[in-house]
Amino acid sequence: MEKGKILIIDDDPLICDLLSGILKNIKGCTTDTAVDGLDGIEKIQKDKYDIVFTDLQMPRLSGMDFLRAAKKIEPATPVVVITGCSSIEGAINAMKEGASDFVTKPFRIDEINSIVDRLISERRLFSKITENADYDKIVKGLNLELFKRLQEISILHTISTELDKIYDNREIFERIVEMASRLLKVKEASFGIVENGNLKIKRAIGTRERTIPISGTLFEHVINKRDYYLASFGEVNPHSGPPLTSPFFSIPFIIKGEVFGILNLANKADGSEFTEDEISIALTLAKKAALRIENNALYELFYNNLINTLKSLVITIEARDSYTMQHSERVTGFALEIAEVMKIAEDEKDAIRFGGYLHDIGKISVRDTVLLKPGKLTDEEMKEIRLHPVIGYNIIEPIGSFKSERLLIRNHHENFNGRGYPDGLAGDKIPLICRILAVADTYDAMTSTRPYRKALSHKAAINELQRCSGTQFDGEVARAFLQTAAGRGRSVI
Ligand SMILES: [Fe+2]
């Protein structure tokens, strides 16, 4: 750091000496002192200073009045106000009037150090610009640089927000290739997974999706070094084989220290080389996407473990009641068939896939004597059974996500006419997936032998579904069921 010339204004000679000592001995600055604001003004009129430190309360002319006057005489000279801990408000007011910073008494050497360093380097930079004959050119250059940085920040923000919305890895591969080709303006882009000595291209623009043996190609270098590779003209184009006639840029996707995928960018639209900025953008994209893919893998692992744990729980519940063995599996299958016919959204099908298995999980709370009772249930016992949707909902609730699945568990015994339980919802107020599950659940219950009755035939069960269409069941869902394999009497399970 270059040494500076500093003026200290304070009516207390002790403060002047102390601050002057710090600045001279530690920062190697030249110092000058003034006893009050008027004295300070005389000094800055005669001499140039890099920084002025001024006390606020002084006789003749206060620090604040000095600051206002100094900003008119030497607007570029930074003024730092000296204040006691109890008068921070004065320092804040001084900052509003144009002071560059403030220091509090007693002084902290590191604080003074960093203030002086910052202000002197700012002042040197400012002098360089203003003293330079090409002032306009420099400012334009700096603005251009600033604009470029803003563009980069905006690109990185776009990358982050776009990738954060995607949970499916295939979609991520597609988006990476699309974003990279757009941002780096290349005609050829591909993303491949490293597998058994090959790079399996999963998504490509301007080149073919195929499997490329890694051995002997530049991919080997990328994998071994775990670093990007910029191939030169004349090297082999690993996409197509012939010598390269334009730059080829390969970027590894690294998870836990291993290269699991490679992004390749080649053949820039304007025929130019890849710039440092473009390389930096591509590397950021790769880093961000790899993190996203890793998170997705972790999420998938967590999700699968959770589903398997809950499925085991359901199997345990069903094992208590031999009549209902695999009931949840069959119900889920029927419900998915209906969902297929009704062409509902994929995320709703996912909710059925997960929630269907768990719809009766709340039965864990029902006593065996009630669950397995061969005769008619008493009102009390019926009440106990009817608690299972809410208990199931409460079991899943702590997981936090899976809102649709939770509703599926809670509302699978609602009736279309509002006479079901536990919430007495009616019509469209019952989520569609719950209306679907209700039909699937009832059909399976009717066609299974229960402790208190034999199974109904398929035909009898369908007649019952049709009879209760529009009252217990949503007619549209019941009609959709009739179009499924199970509804036509050909069970797929
Ligand atoms: Fe149920």
Side-chain angles (χ1 to χ4, degrees):
M1 176 61 57
E2 288 176 73
K3 296 161 187 173
K5 189 173 177 188
I6 297 177
L7 174 66
I8 302 158
I9 312 171
D10 203 307
D11 56 327
D12 184 343
L14 196 69
I15 296 290
C16 284
D17 286 349
L18 187 62
L19 191 52
S20 187
I22 294 172
L23 293 167
K24 270 185 195 163
N25 297 323
I26 296 172
K27 305 300 300 174
C29 302
T30 314
T31 59
D32 207 350
T33 56
V35 293
D36 57 32
L38 276 184
D39 192 17
I41 283 178
E42 276 176 34
K43 291 261 159 73
I44 61 167
Q45 279 170 332
K46 279 189 205 148
D47 228 333
K48 291 264 181 210
Y49 294 95
D50 290 305
I51 306 173
V52 178
F53 281 82
T54 181
D55 188 17
L56 282 176
Q57 286 175 358
M58 293 180 293
R60 298 207 298 163
L61 190 70
S62 74
M64 199 64 100
D65 289 332
F66 165 79
L67 173 66
R68 289 187 195 110
K71 286 287 134 193
K72 285 181 187 151
I73 302 164
E74 278 295 330
T77 302
V79 176
V80 179
V81 295
I82 303 167
T83 175
C85 284
S86 56
S87 55
I88 294 292
E89 209 182 326
I92 294 167
N93 287 336
M95 301 279 283
K96 286 180 189 162
E97 291 283 343
S100 297
D101 215 326
F102 67 93
V103 286
T104 48
K105 289 181 275 189
F107 298 125
R108 275 179 43 216
I109 292 176
D110 58 340
E111 188 183 23
I112 291 172
N113 251 332
S114 72
I115 289 174
V116 170
D117 283 349
R118 178 176 66 80
L119 293 178
I120 288 188
S121 71
E122 278 176 11
R123 189 152 166 75
R124 298 280 183 249
L125 183 70
F126 187 73
S127 310
K128 259 186 211 163
I129 296 170
T130 49
E131 284 160 14
N132 198 306
D134 291 331
Y135 175 70
D136 277 355
K137 211 170 136 191
I138 292 173
V139 171
K140 266 183 199 158
L142 285 174
N143 268 335
L144 198 69
E145 186 65 23
L146 186 66
F147 181 67
K148 246 169 63 183
R149 295 277 164 243
L150 283 174
Q151 260 188 330
E152 265 176 42
I153 291 169
S154 150
I155 288 170
L156 296 181
H157 178 71
T158 309
I159 291 173
S160 288
T161 35
E162 282 200 31
L163 290 179
D164 281 346
K165 283 185 280 187
I166 312 172
Y167 293 92
D168 179 61
N169 283 352
R170 274 169 311 175
E171 209 182 313
I172 288 187
F173 302 154
E174 194 173 322
R175 199 63 67 85
I176 293 163
V177 172
E178 183 270 319
M179 271 200 278
S181 67
R182 178 164 43 92
L183 293 171
L184 274 74
K185 300 180 184 70
V186 291
K187 290 183 193 165
E188 251 177 72
S190 76
F191 179 79
I193 299 283
V194 177
E195 217 172 79
N196 304 327
N198 294 313
L199 187 71
K200 289 191 171 171
I201 304 288
K202 296 285 184 186
R203 177 73 190 153
I205 293 175
T207 180
R208 280 190 302 128
E209 285 170 24
R210 63 200 182 100
T211 299
I212 305 170
I214 288 167
S215 178
T217 65
L218 60 88
F219 300 141
E220 215 169 14
H221 177 97
V222 173
I223 291 167
N224 292 340
K225 299 273 178 195
R226 294 188 188 87
D227 202 359
Y228 75 87
Y229 187 79
L230 259 175
S232 323
F233 296 140
E235 284 188 59
V236 172
N237 182 343
H239 271 159
S240 48
L244 287 166
T245 51
S246 64
F248 193 101
F249 182 21
S250 261
I251 308 129
F253 275 48
I254 300 169
I255 291 183
K256 300 207 186 306
E258 293 294 320
V259 176
F260 82 95
I262 299 177
L263 172 67
N264 299 300
L265 304 166
N267 204 354
K268 282 192 67 182
D270 61 2
S272 64
E273 301 272 342
F274 290 101
T275 64
E276 264 181 42
D277 288 344
E278 287 171 332
I279 291 172
S280 152
I281 287 171
L283 294 179
T284 308
L285 171 66
K287 211 167 163 185
K288 176 76 195 164
L291 202 65
R292 182 75 244 173
I293 292 166
E294 188 178 5
N295 281 347
N296 284 355
L298 286 174
Y299 179 79
E300 221 163 87
L301 189 70
F302 159 77
Y303 186 85
N304 287 337
N305 281 342
L306 183 71
I307 288 180
N308 288 336
T309 308
L310 292 171
K311 273 185 184 173
S312 309
L313 191 59
V314 171
I315 289 168
T316 314
I317 298 164
E318 290 182 344
R320 292 163 64 199
D321 179 1
S322 57
Y323 294 103
T324 60
M325 287 277 260
Q326 294 178 325
H327 164 72
S328 301
E329 196 179 338
R330 286 194 302 270
V331 170
T332 305
F334 298 152
L336 284 172
E337 282 186 73
I338 300 171
E340 200 62 48
V341 171
M342 296 187 80
K343 296 187 172 37
I344 72 168
E346 281 305 314
D347 57 338
E348 295 204 299
K349 283 185 198 164
D350 283 343
I352 292 177
R353 225 166 259 133
F354 179 35
Y357 271 103
L358 307 178
H359 74 278
D360 274 342
I361 200 168
K363 281 193 177 165
I364 198 161
S365 68
V366 181
R367 287 170 297 155
D368 278 0
T369 47
V370 176
L371 192 70
L372 308 176
K373 187 175 177 180
K376 198 171 182 295
L377 296 177
T378 64
D379 286 353
E380 275 308 303
E381 289 164 343
M382 190 59 88
K383 261 188 202 166
E384 187 175 333
I385 288 256
R386 286 185 163 207
L387 283 176
H388 81 271
V390 173
I391 289 168
Y393 175 87
N394 291 341
I395 290 173
I396 304 298
E397 196 175 26
I399 299 170
S401 42
F402 309 119
K403 186 169 175 255
S404 302
E405 288 84 344
R406 279 187 281 145
L407 288 180
L408 190 70
I409 294 166
R410 187 183 179 98
N411 297 121
H412 72 274
H413 283 292
E414 301 291 353
N415 286 354
F416 200 63
N417 58 9
R419 294 195 178 168
Y421 61 92
D423 298 318
L425 302 179
D428 290 350
K429 292 275 183 291
I430 308 167
L432 177 59
I433 53 172
C434 302
R435 283 178 264 149
I436 290 176
L437 201 89
V439 169
D441 189 23
T442 311
Y443 173 79
D444 189 68
M446 288 192 291
T447 52
S448 302
T449 296
R450 307 304 287 254
Y452 45 89
R453 62 149 173 77
K454 283 232 152 43
L456 293 185
S457 67
H458 167 73
K459 198 161 177 268
I462 292 294
N463 284 343
E464 188 62 12
L465 277 181
Q466 283 174 321
R467 191 180 67 80
C468 299
S469 241
T471 51
Q472 186 177 346
F473 309 113
D474 178 346
E476 204 183 321
V477 175
R479 277 191 294 281
F481 179 64
L482 296 180
Q483 293 175 45
T484 66
R488 291 198 302 266
R490 292 197 308 269
S491 177
V492 289
I493 296 173

